[in-house]
Amino acid sequence: EDQVTQSPEALRLQEGESSSLNCSYTVSGLRGLFWYRQDPGKGPEFLFTLYSAGEEKEKERLKATLTKKESFLHITAPKPEDSATYLCAVQPMIKAAGNKLTFGGGTRVLVKP
Amino acid sequence: EAQVTQNPRYLITVTGKKLTVTCSQNMNHEYMSWYRQDPGLGLRQIYYSMNVEVTDKGDVPEGYKVSRKEKRNFPLILESPSPNQTSLYFCASSPTGRETQYFGPGTRLLVL
């Protein structure tokens, strides 16, 4: 069974204090690893897709990296508007799994000015 | 604007009273899916649809039904809601399911 574990559960940062979020996963053949941002009461908003170990993607202050067992979301010099819950999800290669995304529990990030 | 819409956004109902949550996408996506989100359990897939008239169960299908008669719509039906179906529900769509899934704004359901 596919599993995704995110750590830490919560993270409090001062504005400008860089940090990293971890997503550890086990999956029967990785089709893709997805990062989403979720604001309270809203739907997950897509950030990145990573497909193979060594791949990196960047968007503004966010950078996602992927290894064979985990992914990191690095937040560089965060601003208060980066406060959100960040979700990691994996999709297996097997089509029979219904293209299901298996999500981790998320990391709640609070950036204080 | 490309989007997934859900209605209603908030719903309070009583045990046993049938309800339908609608989901519509304007991106001509073949794949659509329903998830529920609960504290401590994260997002879990309820049902999915690979295309019109093709639906299948996800991880937590008990107590739910779906239909896919048109490509753009994928309603979630609770024929006899129970309090354990109180949750935040999200609809998602993807071109074929093998790419990024885009989520709707969510429907918060309370079953008394």
Side-chain angles (χ1 to χ4, degrees), chain B residues 89-105:
Chain B
Y89 292 87
F90 291 102
C91 180
S93 75
S94 169
T96 65
R98 307 299 281 167
E99 313 85 356
T100 302
Q101 293 186 26
Y102 297 94
F103 285 78

Side-chain angles (χ1 to χ4, degrees), chain A residues 46-111:
Chain A
F46 170 70
L47 292 173
F48 304 109
T49 307
L50 302 167
Y51 294 104
S52 56
E55 190 174 0
E56 298 181 352
K57 294 259 178 91
E58 280 189 74
K59 179 180 179 180
E60 296 181 355
R61 294 175 294 282
L62 302 176
K63 179 180 177 180
T65 62
L66 180 65
T67 72
K68 288 188 177 180
K69 293 186 178 180
E70 56 192 350
S71 176
F72 292 93
L73 184 66
H74 307 278
I75 310 179
T76 301
K79 297 183 177 181
E81 52 261 44
D82 294 321
S83 298
T85 295
Y86 291 87
L87 301 170
C88 171
V90 297
Q91 186 178 61
M93 193 72 74
I94 316 168
K95 200 171 182 181
N99 301 317
K100 176 185 68 176
L101 293 177
T102 297
F103 281 86
T107 295
R108 292 190 314 278
V109 174
L110 175 63
V111 182

